[in-house]
Amino acid sequence: MKYALVTGGSRGIGRAVCLKLARMGYHVLINYVSHAEEAEATLRMVHEAGREGEILKFDVSNRQQTTEALEAWMEAHPDAYIEVLVNNAGIRRDNLLVFMPEEDWHRVLDITLSGFYNVTQPLLQPMLVHKFGRIINMASVTGLKGMPGQANYAAAKGGIIAATKSLAQEVARKNVTVNAVAPGFIQTDMLEGLDEAALKKTIPANRFGTPEEVAELVGFLVSKEAGYITGNVISINGGLYT
Ligand code: NAP
């Protein structure tokens, strides 16, 4: 049995990634923090794809919660390890910096950056021991070029890109690859409230992307065939200038 963990697997891009990995033969661990019914829906879809899965509830920004959940899973599966990790959980709390509450600065950084540390650090050792692992970090076009109103999100996504490049160099010899995916505008709950018609005009492809398109890219990066790609950021943005 091959295991994959997707943080924020209950909705949007994370759900599509769970389904892609299930179709690739993985037993999928679906993490979420608050939308239990959405996580259940993802699990049902994994079952419909003919695979097993399970739900792991924890807040990736909470070190203790995350460690307890992962340690409990590892104790229950002493002969298994999680060979694929997709650090996908994320939020946005947009505001011009001049108006940005301290809480919104910290929450976005905590979930993306501390979340990356909290989840990746305990899962790394087993990947190194087994000499195979795939880590995909969900970044953003904003982490590459910045966006007004998103200084917190840009700092978090830029940080995750830098962490990706560093970690990739630490573990490449052990056949563990670490890459970031940088989506542009993808049709999910995260874009709620944005002016789609106006934004589409800024995208050469003249449309938002789909979660499934991002999941296909993640699927390739996870595959054995992508073993020589590491420390990279792959954009998927319909030609949006970066
Ligand atoms: P989404 O539909 O809003 O889903 C966010 C997911 O993250 C949900 O599953 C949510 O769980 C989970 N989550 C949020 N906070 C969490 C926490 N503290 N601990 C564990 N899980 C948590 O967002 P999305 O659009 O699919 O985005 C997924 C990733 O892609 C994010 O990292 C986002 O920054 C990135 N991204 C998205 C876009 C886009 O246009 N949509 C573009 C670039 C990058 P619950 O369901 O329990 O709330």
Side-chain angles (χ1 to χ4, degrees):
M1 189 88 84
K2 299 187 300 174
Y3 293 90
L5 167 63
V6 181
T7 69
S10 48
R11 291 183 285 130
I13 294 171
R15 171 181 283 169
V17 169
C18 287
L19 294 182
K20 175 67 189 174
L21 294 175
R23 291 189 189 109
M24 288 172 73
Y26 282 95
H27 178 113
V28 187
L29 313 183
I30 304 158
N31 160 257
Y32 79 105
V33 66
S34 55
H35 289 84
E37 64 299 337
E38 299 282 359
E40 297 285 353
T42 302
L43 182 58
R44 269 199 306 279
M45 292 175 198
V46 165
H47 288 154
E48 281 160 19
R51 289 287 157 190
E52 289 302 315
E54 59 197 286
I55 294 173
L56 284 189
K57 179 182 180 180
F58 57 88
D59 178 345
V60 296
S61 71
N62 184 315
R63 173 78 176 161
Q64 193 183 338
Q65 255 186 44
T66 303
T67 307
E68 279 173 11
L70 294 179
E71 279 179 357
W73 188 88
M74 288 192 250
E75 272 166 32
H77 302 81
D79 299 325
Y81 86 108
I82 294 169
E83 67 172 52
V84 171
L85 166 62
V86 183
N87 286 305
N88 166 78
I91 60 162
R92 64 181 184 90
R93 291 280 183 276
D94 297 353
N95 214 331
L96 296 175
L97 193 73
V98 69
F99 302 122
M100 188 178 289
E102 188 182 350
E103 191 199 332
D104 289 356
W105 172 262
H106 286 296
R107 194 71 192 127
V108 169
L109 283 162
D110 284 351
I111 292 175
T112 294
L113 282 185
S114 302
F116 161 78
Y117 172 79
N118 292 340
V119 182
T120 308
Q121 200 271 340
L123 299 185
L124 210 45
Q125 180 82 357
M127 290 185 191
L128 298 175
V129 168
H130 288 87
K131 295 193 174 56
F132 183 83
R134 294 281 187 264
I135 299 171
I136 317 289
N137 298 319
M138 205 53 71
S140 165
V141 63
T142 298
L144 290 167
K145 76 180 192 106
M147 199 80 84
Q150 291 201 309
N152 51 355
Y153 190 79
K157 296 302 191 183
I160 204 75
I161 288 170
T164 298
K165 292 178 180 180
S166 295
L167 180 59
Q169 294 173 59
E170 293 178 17
V171 297
R173 274 170 192 266
K174 297 288 187 187
N175 214 16
V176 177
T177 66
V178 190
N179 289 289
V181 167
F185 293 102
I186 308 298
Q187 194 79 61
T188 71
D189 294 347
M190 188 170 272
L191 298 192
E192 224 171 65
L194 299 186
D195 183 345
E196 181 170 349
L199 287 170
K200 268 179 11 186
K201 291 188 190 135
T202 68
I203 306 168
N206 196 35
R207 66 173 178 88
F208 286 175
T210 66
E212 290 71 25
E213 287 172 314
V214 181
E216 286 299 321
L217 172 56
V218 172
F220 175 66
L221 290 172
V222 161
S223 70
K224 290 221 163 48
E225 290 72 17
Y228 202 54
I229 303 174
T230 195
N232 278 284
V233 191
I234 318 288
S235 289
I236 174 161
N237 58 25
L240 200 63
Y241 180 68
T242 55

